Amino acid sequence: MKYLHTMVRVSDLDASLQFYIDALGLVEHSRRDVEAGRFTLVFLHAPGDEEAQVELTYNWDESGYDSGRNFGHLAYHVDDIYALCQHMKDQGITINRPPRDGRMAFVKSPDGISIELLQKGEALPLVEPWLSMENDGSW
């Protein structure tokens, strides 16, 4: 498993970039506008440390966030998303967003922190029971 990034929702992308880049000194690693989902993702990292990133998520139609709602999730690359999800399920952990696509899943910590699990490399072949499993709660 490898730590990837922490996601933070922002209500003003320009002001956030001014803070994270101009004031804090982070570097923009990549940016992606997703027209269909109406959001922009900007990945930042500390100079010289491209491995650990902060993902700023700007939802185009959001008018603001209540306290705590702006924190999104922690993300990890995993070697076998199906095996890890099954292990967690066997431990009594709810798989909030099952890996139906063979690539991405979400679980929550006991304190309600969302954890994104991403399959390392290519998505795994689609298999049951994950393929038809519904979301359970929020993630």
Side-chain angles (χ1 to χ4, degrees):
M1 183 182 301
K2 179 182 176 187
Y3 174 78
L4 295 176
H5 64 263
T6 299
M7 186 269 264
V8 177
R9 291 178 183 92
V10 300
S11 54
D12 182 331
L13 185 58
D14 292 332
S16 295
L17 290 173
Q18 183 177 5
F19 170 80
Y20 285 100
I21 294 173
D22 297 339
L24 188 59
L26 298 184
V27 176
E28 184 171 325
H29 181 78
S30 64
R31 179 187 298 235
R32 193 171 101 204
D33 292 317
V34 181
E35 182 74 34
R38 301 194 46 73
F39 63 88
T40 299
L41 303 178
V42 180
F43 289 87
L44 307 171
H45 63 83
D49 186 10
E50 294 183 20
E51 299 273 325
Q53 298 179 11
V54 172
E55 171 191 335
L56 302 183
T57 298
Y58 173 63
N59 293 295
W60 301 349
D61 301 319
E62 181 63 45
S63 60
Y65 298 102
D66 294 332
S67 178
R69 176 72 178 114
N70 56 333
F71 175 78
H73 60 261
L74 303 177
Y76 291 90
H77 260 158
V78 299
D79 291 328
D80 184 332
I81 197 164
Y82 294 146
L84 181 57
C85 285
Q86 186 61 57
H87 172 74
M88 295 182 84
K89 191 171 191 261
D90 292 345
Q91 298 293 315
I93 305 296
T94 299
I95 309 300
N96 301 103
R97 195 283 191 188
R100 289 182 296 275
D101 56 3
R103 185 179 117 36
M104 179 180 67
F106 275 88
V107 297
K108 282 191 175 180
S109 75
D111 294 308
I113 301 298
S114 289
I115 310 293
E116 180 181 21
L117 306 172
L118 292 166
Q119 175 63 41
K120 191 182 304 180
E122 297 296 318
L124 297 181
L126 307 181
V127 298
E128 294 295 349
W130 310 110
L131 181 60
S132 59
M133 192 178 288
E134 298 290 324
N135 290 346
D136 187 352
S138 64
W139 43 276

